[in-house]
PDB file of all heavy atoms in Angstrom:
ATOM      1  N   PRO A 426      78.487 104.425 112.793  1.00  0.00           N
ATOM      2  CA  PRO A 426      79.650 104.272 111.991  1.00  0.00           C
ATOM      3  C   PRO A 426      80.933 104.899 112.514  1.00  0.00           C
ATOM      4  O   PRO A 426      82.004 104.367 112.366  1.00  0.00           O
ATOM      5  CB  PRO A 426      79.277 104.899 110.650  1.00  0.00           C
ATOM      6  CG  PRO A 426      77.808 104.998 110.627  1.00  0.00           C
ATOM      7  CD  PRO A 426      77.378 105.175 112.115  1.00  0.00           C
ATOM      8  N   SER A 427      80.810 105.982 113.263  1.00  0.00           N
ATOM      9  CA  SER A 427      81.970 106.589 113.865  1.00  0.00           C
ATOM     10  C   SER A 427      82.479 105.973 115.117  1.00  0.00           C
ATOM     11  O   SER A 427      83.648 106.226 115.471  1.00  0.00           O
ATOM     12  CB  SER A 427      81.614 108.049 114.298  1.00  0.00           C
ATOM     13  OG  SER A 427      81.124 108.759 113.237  1.00  0.00           O
ATOM     14  N   ARG A 428      81.708 104.899 115.654  1.00  0.00           N
ATOM     15  CA  ARG A 428      82.209 104.257 116.855  1.00  0.00           C
ATOM     16  C   ARG A 428      83.248 103.342 116.563  1.00  0.00           C
ATOM     17  O   ARG A 428      83.954 102.853 117.516  1.00  0.00           O
ATOM     18  CB  ARG A 428      80.950 103.628 117.508  1.00  0.00           C
ATOM     19  CG  ARG A 428      79.918 104.470 117.969  1.00  0.00           C
ATOM     20  CD  ARG A 428      78.799 103.771 118.584  1.00  0.00           C
ATOM     21  NE  ARG A 428      77.721 104.509 118.972  1.00  0.00           N
ATOM     22  CZ  ARG A 428      76.624 104.160 119.455  1.00  0.00           C
ATOM     23  NH1 ARG A 428      76.412 102.910 119.849  1.00  0.00           N
ATOM     24  NH2 ARG A 428      75.575 105.070 119.779  1.00  0.00           N
ATOM     25  N   VAL A 429      83.261 102.819 115.274  1.00  0.00           N
ATOM     26  CA  VAL A 429      84.241 101.744 114.954  1.00  0.00           C
ATOM     27  C   VAL A 429      85.796 102.233 115.267  1.00  0.00           C
ATOM     28  O   VAL A 429      86.106 103.286 114.672  1.00  0.00           O
ATOM     29  CB  VAL A 429      84.200 101.410 113.529  1.00  0.00           C
ATOM     30  CG1 VAL A 429      85.193 100.216 113.082  1.00  0.00           C
ATOM     31  CG2 VAL A 429      82.747 100.906 113.253  1.00  0.00           C
ATOM     32  N   GLY A 430      86.412 101.449 116.116  1.00  0.00           N
ATOM     33  CA  GLY A 430      87.845 101.735 116.400  1.00  0.00           C
ATOM     34  C   GLY A 430      87.957 102.937 117.440  1.00  0.00           C
ATOM     35  O   GLY A 430      89.154 103.234 117.693  1.00  0.00           O
ATOM     36  N   TRP A 431      86.844 103.319 118.074  1.00  0.00           N
ATOM     37  CA  TRP A 431      86.989 104.484 118.988  1.00  0.00           C
ATOM     38  C   TRP A 431      87.861 103.908 120.145  1.00  0.00           C
ATOM     39  O   TRP A 431      87.657 102.840 120.742  1.00  0.00           O
ATOM     40  CB  TRP A 431      85.553 104.861 119.551  1.00  0.00           C
ATOM     41  CG  TRP A 431      85.701 106.232 120.208  1.00  0.00           C
ATOM     42  CD1 TRP A 431      86.184 106.576 121.406  1.00  0.00           C
ATOM     43  CD2 TRP A 431      85.049 107.420 119.651  1.00  0.00           C
ATOM     44  NE1 TRP A 431      85.836 107.866 121.670  1.00  0.00           N
ATOM     45  CE2 TRP A 431      85.238 108.477 120.640  1.00  0.00           C
ATOM     46  CE3 TRP A 431      84.416 107.694 118.477  1.00  0.00           C
ATOM     47  CZ2 TRP A 431      84.877 109.706 120.399  1.00  0.00           C
ATOM     48  CZ3 TRP A 431      83.996 109.031 118.259  1.00  0.00           C
ATOM     49  CH2 TRP A 431      84.327 110.034 119.249  1.00  0.00           C
ATOM     50  N   PRO A 432      88.873 104.783 120.655  1.00  0.00           N
ATOM     51  CA  PRO A 432      89.744 104.273 121.579  1.00  0.00           C
ATOM     52  C   PRO A 432      89.330 104.366 123.051  1.00  0.00           C
ATOM     53  O   PRO A 432      88.498 105.278 123.366  1.00  0.00           O
ATOM     54  CB  PRO A 432      90.991 105.172 121.274  1.00  0.00           C
ATOM     55  CG  PRO A 432      90.415 106.466 121.048  1.00  0.00           C
ATOM     56  CD  PRO A 432      89.222 106.105 120.126  1.00  0.00           C
ATOM     57  N   VAL A 433      89.862 103.449 123.902  1.00  0.00           N
ATOM     58  CA  VAL A 433      89.631 103.593 125.340  1.00  0.00           C
ATOM     59  C   VAL A 433      91.113 103.545 125.845  1.00  0.00           C
ATOM     60  O   VAL A 433      91.920 102.758 125.391  1.00  0.00           O
ATOM     61  CB  VAL A 433      88.816 102.528 125.991  1.00  0.00           C
ATOM     62  CG1 VAL A 433      87.400 102.797 125.486  1.00  0.00           C
ATOM     63  CG2 VAL A 433      89.238 101.058 125.559  1.00  0.00           C
ATOM     64  N   VAL A 434      91.273 104.242 127.062  1.00  0.00           N
ATOM     65  CA  VAL A 434      92.583 104.265 127.644  1.00  0.00           C
ATOM     66  C   VAL A 434      92.450 103.449 128.979  1.00  0.00           C
ATOM     67  O   VAL A 434      91.546 103.649 129.769  1.00  0.00           O
ATOM     68  CB  VAL A 434      93.045 105.661 127.919  1.00  0.00           C
ATOM     69  CG1 VAL A 434      94.329 105.669 128.734  1.00  0.00           C
ATOM     70  CG2 VAL A 434      93.353 106.407 126.621  1.00  0.00           C
ATOM     71  N   LEU A 435      93.443 102.611 129.248  1.00  0.00           N
ATOM     72  CA  LEU A 435      93.435 101.844 130.413  1.00  0.00           C
ATOM     73  C   LEU A 435      94.720 102.110 131.281  1.00  0.00           C
ATOM     74  O   LEU A 435      95.781 102.435 130.778  1.00  0.00           O
ATOM     75  CB  LEU A 435      93.590 100.300 129.943  1.00  0.00           C
ATOM     76  CG  LEU A 435      92.357  99.662 129.323  1.00  0.00           C
ATOM     77  CD1 LEU A 435      92.558  99.955 127.694  1.00  0.00           C
ATOM     78  CD2 LEU A 435      92.236  98.189 129.547  1.00  0.00           C
ATOM     79  N   ALA A 436      94.429 102.151 132.659  1.00  0.00           N
ATOM     80  CA  ALA A 436      95.571 102.145 133.584  1.00  0.00           C
ATOM     81  C   ALA A 436      95.534 100.806 134.262  1.00  0.00           C
ATOM     82  O   ALA A 436      94.590 100.337 134.820  1.00  0.00           O
ATOM     83  CB  ALA A 436      95.228 103.355 134.586  1.00  0.00           C
ATOM     84  N   ASP A 437      96.682 100.129 134.117  1.00  0.00           N
ATOM     85  CA  ASP A 437      96.770  98.740 134.373  1.00  0.00           C
ATOM     86  C   ASP A 437      95.727  97.993 133.515  1.00  0.00           C
ATOM     87  O   ASP A 437      95.799  98.137 132.292  1.00  0.00           O
ATOM     88  CB  ASP A 437      96.695  98.410 135.826  1.00  0.00           C
ATOM     89  CG  ASP A 437      97.917  98.776 136.494  1.00  0.00           C
ATOM     90  OD1 ASP A 437      99.077  99.052 135.836  1.00  0.00           O
ATOM     91  OD2 ASP A 437      98.018  98.880 137.671  1.00  0.00           O
ATOM     92  N   ASP A 438      94.700  97.382 134.037  1.00  0.00           N
ATOM     93  CA  ASP A 438      93.687  96.611 133.222  1.00  0.00           C
ATOM     94  C   ASP A 438      92.310  97.277 133.358  1.00  0.00           C
ATOM     95  O   ASP A 438      91.334  96.771 132.975  1.00  0.00           O
ATOM     96  CB  ASP A 438      93.577  95.175 133.669  1.00  0.00           C
ATOM     97  CG  ASP A 438      94.921  94.438 133.488  1.00  0.00           C
ATOM     98  OD1 ASP A 438      95.508  94.774 132.439  1.00  0.00           O
ATOM     99  OD2 ASP A 438      95.359  93.587 134.296  1.00  0.00           O
ATOM    100  N   GLU A 439      92.314  98.527 133.791  1.00  0.00           N
ATOM    101  CA  GLU A 439      90.932  99.167 133.949  1.00  0.00           C
ATOM    102  C   GLU A 439      90.720 100.392 132.991  1.00  0.00           C
ATOM    103  O   GLU A 439      91.574 101.118 132.881  1.00  0.00           O
ATOM    104  CB  GLU A 439      90.810  99.797 135.460  1.00  0.00           C
ATOM    105  CG  GLU A 439      89.509 100.324 135.802  1.00  0.00           C
ATOM    106  CD  GLU A 439      89.485 100.842 137.174  1.00  0.00           C
ATOM    107  OE1 GLU A 439      90.438 100.579 137.908  1.00  0.00           O
ATOM    108  OE2 GLU A 439      88.608 101.531 137.521  1.00  0.00           O
ATOM    109  N   ILE A 440      89.603 100.365 132.327  1.00  0.00           N
ATOM    110  CA  ILE A 440      89.286 101.523 131.490  1.00  0.00           C
ATOM    111  C   ILE A 440      89.077 102.776 132.375  1.00  0.00           C
ATOM    112  O   ILE A 440      88.317 102.792 133.218  1.00  0.00           O
ATOM    113  CB  ILE A 440      88.094 101.229 130.631  1.00  0.00           C
ATOM    114  CG1 ILE A 440      88.383 100.005 129.630  1.00  0.00           C
ATOM    115  CG2 ILE A 440      87.582 102.452 129.795  1.00  0.00           C
ATOM    116  CD1 ILE A 440      87.295  99.617 128.828  1.00  0.00           C
ATOM    117  N   VAL A 441      89.879 103.766 131.942  1.00  0.00           N
ATOM    118  CA  VAL A 441      89.688 105.105 132.753  1.00  0.00           C
ATOM    119  C   VAL A 441      89.436 106.338 131.924  1.00  0.00           C
ATOM    120  O   VAL A 441      89.149 107.389 132.546  1.00  0.00           O
ATOM    121  CB  VAL A 441      91.019 105.347 133.468  1.00  0.00           C
ATOM    122  CG1 VAL A 441      91.255 104.198 134.619  1.00  0.00           C
ATOM    123  CG2 VAL A 441      92.241 105.417 132.584  1.00  0.00           C
ATOM    124  N   TRP A 442      89.290 106.079 130.647  1.00  0.00           N
ATOM    125  CA  TRP A 442      89.197 107.249 129.763  1.00  0.00           C
ATOM    126  C   TRP A 442      88.492 106.795 128.549  1.00  0.00           C
ATOM    127  O   TRP A 442      89.155 105.997 127.788  1.00  0.00           O
ATOM    128  CB  TRP A 442      90.393 108.028 129.663  1.00  0.00           C
ATOM    129  CG  TRP A 442      90.233 109.346 128.943  1.00  0.00           C
ATOM    130  CD1 TRP A 442      89.186 110.203 128.793  1.00  0.00           C
ATOM    131  CD2 TRP A 442      91.276 109.987 128.129  1.00  0.00           C
ATOM    132  NE1 TRP A 442      89.526 111.246 127.990  1.00  0.00           N
ATOM    133  CE2 TRP A 442      90.733 111.290 127.567  1.00  0.00           C
ATOM    134  CE3 TRP A 442      92.657 109.708 127.868  1.00  0.00           C
ATOM    135  CZ2 TRP A 442      91.519 112.010 126.790  1.00  0.00           C
ATOM    136  CZ3 TRP A 442      93.259 110.642 126.985  1.00  0.00           C
ATOM    137  CH2 TRP A 442      92.842 111.689 126.489  1.00  0.00           C
ATOM    138  N   ILE A 443      87.424 107.429 128.012  1.00  0.00           N
ATOM    139  CA  ILE A 443      86.991 107.290 126.665  1.00  0.00           C
ATOM    140  C   ILE A 443      87.186 108.744 126.018  1.00  0.00           C
ATOM    141  O   ILE A 443      86.390 109.618 126.358  1.00  0.00           O
ATOM    142  CB  ILE A 443      85.386 106.905 126.694  1.00  0.00           C
ATOM    143  CG1 ILE A 443      85.153 105.712 127.500  1.00  0.00           C
ATOM    144  CG2 ILE A 443      85.071 106.667 125.290  1.00  0.00           C
ATOM    145  CD1 ILE A 443      83.715 105.434 127.765  1.00  0.00           C
ATOM    146  N   PRO A 444      88.234 108.878 125.332  1.00  0.00           N
ATOM    147  CA  PRO A 444      88.550 110.232 124.827  1.00  0.00           C
ATOM    148  C   PRO A 444      87.274 110.903 124.109  1.00  0.00           C
ATOM    149  O   PRO A 444      86.653 110.321 123.229  1.00  0.00           O
ATOM    150  CB  PRO A 444      89.643 109.912 123.811  1.00  0.00           C
ATOM    151  CG  PRO A 444      90.351 108.737 124.338  1.00  0.00           C
ATOM    152  CD  PRO A 444      89.273 107.901 124.829  1.00  0.00           C
ATOM    153  N   GLY A 445      87.153 112.186 124.453  1.00  0.00           N
ATOM    154  CA  GLY A 445      86.043 112.954 123.969  1.00  0.00           C
ATOM    155  C   GLY A 445      84.759 112.622 124.439  1.00  0.00           C
ATOM    156  O   GLY A 445      83.701 113.226 124.182  1.00  0.00           O
ATOM    157  N   VAL A 446      84.647 111.652 125.295  1.00  0.00           N
ATOM    158  CA  VAL A 446      83.240 111.081 125.854  1.00  0.00           C
ATOM    159  C   VAL A 446      83.234 111.262 127.351  1.00  0.00           C
ATOM    160  O   VAL A 446      82.269 112.040 127.797  1.00  0.00           O
ATOM    161  CB  VAL A 446      83.036 109.775 125.363  1.00  0.00           C
ATOM    162  CG1 VAL A 446      81.738 109.208 125.964  1.00  0.00           C
ATOM    163  CG2 VAL A 446      83.031 109.598 123.885  1.00  0.00           C
ATOM    164  N   ARG A 447      84.054 110.559 128.044  1.00  0.00           N
ATOM    165  CA  ARG A 447      83.931 110.519 129.496  1.00  0.00           C
ATOM    166  C   ARG A 447      85.134 110.001 130.173  1.00  0.00           C
ATOM    167  O   ARG A 447      85.847 109.256 129.553  1.00  0.00           O
ATOM    168  CB  ARG A 447      82.691 109.593 129.857  1.00  0.00           C
ATOM    169  CG  ARG A 447      82.293 109.625 131.379  1.00  0.00           C
ATOM    170  CD  ARG A 447      81.589 110.954 131.664  1.00  0.00           C
ATOM    171  NE  ARG A 447      81.184 111.066 133.024  1.00  0.00           N
ATOM    172  CZ  ARG A 447      79.871 110.727 133.396  1.00  0.00           C
ATOM    173  NH1 ARG A 447      79.006 110.342 132.506  1.00  0.00           N
ATOM    174  NH2 ARG A 447      79.631 110.844 134.690  1.00  0.00           N
ATOM    175  N   ARG A 448      85.459 110.541 131.399  1.00  0.00           N
ATOM    176  CA  ARG A 448      86.491 109.978 132.232  1.00  0.00           C
ATOM    177  C   ARG A 448      86.009 109.062 133.293  1.00  0.00           C
ATOM    178  O   ARG A 448      84.707 108.960 133.555  1.00  0.00           O
ATOM    179  CB  ARG A 448      87.231 111.094 132.842  1.00  0.00           C
ATOM    180  CG  ARG A 448      87.776 112.185 131.919  1.00  0.00           C
ATOM    181  CD  ARG A 448      88.431 113.254 132.823  1.00  0.00           C
ATOM    182  NE  ARG A 448      88.688 114.450 132.077  1.00  0.00           N
ATOM    183  CZ  ARG A 448      87.986 115.501 132.008  1.00  0.00           C
ATOM    184  NH1 ARG A 448      86.825 115.516 132.550  1.00  0.00           N
ATOM    185  NH2 ARG A 448      88.265 116.593 131.154  1.00  0.00           N
ATOM    186  N   ALA A 449      86.851 108.363 133.909  1.00  0.00           N
ATOM    187  CA  ALA A 449      86.352 107.432 134.964  1.00  0.00           C
ATOM    188  C   ALA A 449      86.049 108.339 136.339  1.00  0.00           C
ATOM    189  O   ALA A 449      86.288 109.583 136.319  1.00  0.00           O
ATOM    190  CB  ALA A 449      87.397 106.427 135.407  1.00  0.00           C
ATOM    191  N   ALA A 450      85.642 107.662 137.384  1.00  0.00           N
ATOM    192  CA  ALA A 450      85.189 108.340 138.480  1.00  0.00           C
ATOM    193  C   ALA A 450      86.294 109.198 139.119  1.00  0.00           C
ATOM    194  O   ALA A 450      87.460 108.857 139.143  1.00  0.00           O
ATOM    195  CB  ALA A 450      84.662 107.354 139.576  1.00  0.00           C
ATOM    196  N   ALA A 451      85.930 110.253 139.832  1.00  0.00           N
ATOM    197  CA  ALA A 451      86.872 111.093 140.560  1.00  0.00           C
ATOM    198  C   ALA A 451      86.979 110.590 142.072  1.00  0.00           C
ATOM    199  O   ALA A 451      85.882 110.552 142.793  1.00  0.00           O
ATOM    200  CB  ALA A 451      86.240 112.578 140.676  1.00  0.00           C
TER     201      ALA A 451
END
Side-chain angles (χ1 to χ4, degrees):
S427 300
R428 297 179 188 180
V429 180
W431 198 285
V433 291
V434 172
L435 296 84
D437 287 343
D438 296 321
E439 182 180 354
I440 295 177
V441 294
W442 183 30
I443 309 170
V446 176
R447 193 66 181 266
R448 310 180 187 93

